Amino acid sequence: MHKGNKDKEAAVGPVVGAGWQKFATFLTHAGRQQPDKRGSFVNMPVERGSTVVFPTVEDMGAQGGHAYEHQLVYGAMGNPVQHRLEQVIAALEGGSHTQVVNSGLAACTVALLAFLKGGDHLLLPDSVYGPTRRFALGTLARFGVETSFYPPRADEATLRAHIRPNTAVIFAESPGSHTFEVQDIPMIARLAHGAGARVLLDNTWGIGAFQPFTSGVDVSIQALTKYPSGHADVILGSITVQRQEHWQALRRTAIELGACGAPDDCWLTLRGLKTMAVRLSQQARSAYELALWLESRPEVAHVRHPALPGCPGHEIWKRDFTDASGLFGVELDVGITQEAMIAMLDGLHLFSIGASWGGYESLVLPTSGGLTRHHKDGLPKGAAFRIQVGLENVADLKADLTRGLDGLKR
Ligand SMILES: *Cc1c(COP(=O)(O)O)cnc(C)c1O
C-alpha cells in the first residue's frame, strides 16, 4: 500500500467509527434471556396480548398499582418485550426510565404533551424535524401553547433573548436531520434550567454517541425506526428520562394517551440493537470517507458532516459526541440547478430515493427547495441533498456518486 492511502486510512480510522465499538459488548449482551438449568433460548420470546389475567381480583388490584413500574397490567400499558427494550434503551442513554411508543414522531409529541400545558411557551430550533414543527403549530397551538423558533446555532445572548417568562420547554435536535447544525446542548440546558424550563432533545442522530443526561438534558427522544431497529422494517420511538418527577409526568401522559409499542416491533428492535455497533461502525466509517471525498469534488460547495473539521459546529461535536452516524448533507455549487441535481439523484443505481434513514440501505433525499424556516439563514444556498450511507461496499457507492457527479449539467 503506498503512503497516500495509508495516511488517509489513518485519518479515517481513529476519527469516526471506532467510538461505536465501545457499545459493542453492552449491545451484544443487553436484553438477553438468562439461561436456566433446563435450557432456554438466547432471545426472549414475543408475547402478544391485550388482556392480562390474574387468579383473583385482589391480585389484579395489587398489580394495577404498579403501572408506573412497568409491570404487566394491560396490553396498552406495555408488554414484556416493550419493557425489556425500555431497560436496554435507558441503559444505553444513561437514563433511569424509558417509555417506548409507536413511532419516533409519537415520541416527540407524547414528550411535548407531558411537559407543556395551555399558556406555556415552547422554543423549537429552526432545524427541527418537520412533523414536530407541524405538531407544535397545529395541535399544541389549538391547546393554547405558543411556539417560537430559535436559530439552532444561537449563541448564549441570542438564545437568552428568545426565552420568555412562560417558556416551559426548550426543544433541541442535534444535529438537524436536514441541515446538520450541531447545537450547544450544555449551554442550552444551563439557560433553560436558569429560566425554570426543561430541555427535550431529539437524540436520533446521536443514539449512544451523545450522552444526553451528562449534558443537562431532561428528556431524550429517539426514533428507534432508524439505527436501533436498523432494517427499514419497523416504526417505533423512545422517550428516556433520568429523574423520578419527570418519569411520573411522562408515564402519566403515556398511559392517558394509550401510547405503547407493539410486541413484534419491540422484538425486531431488540434484535436490531444486537448488531447496531458493528453496523454503525461500518456506516459511520463509509459516510466519513464519502464526505471527505465529496468535499474535494468541484461540483460540491459544502459537505455538512459534523465530524469534518470545516463543518460549522465541528468543535461542539468533538467536545460532546463520541462518534458520528452515517447521515450527512451535501450542498452543490450555486451554478447547479435543482432540476440538474434531481436528475442526478434519479440516475443513481445504489442509492434509493427515500425519507427515512438508519437502515442497511443507502438513500438520498433532496433537502433544498422544500424546507420551512423562520430564520432564512439556515437554508442551503445551492441545490442540496442528504445521504444515508448503508452497508454497501464504499468503493461501489463512490463509483455510483462519481458517475452521477460527472454527468451533472452545469
Ligand atoms: C425519523 C425521525 C423522527 C420520526 O420517527 P418516525 O419513527 O419515522 O416517526 C423524529 N425525529 C427525527 C430526527 C427523525 O429523523
Side-chain angles (χ1 to χ4, degrees), residues 102-106 108 129 131-132 173 175 177 202 204-205 221-226 234-237 327 355-357 386:
N102 67 297
S103 70
L105 178 57
C108 297
Y129 179 65
T132 305
E173 183 179 318
S177 64
D202 186 331
T204 302
W205 193 89
I221 294 157
Q222 280 197 52
L224 301 175
T225 306
K226 309 292 162 59
V234 168
I235 295 277
L236 205 65
L327 184 81
S356 196
W357 48 283
R386 83 177 181 193

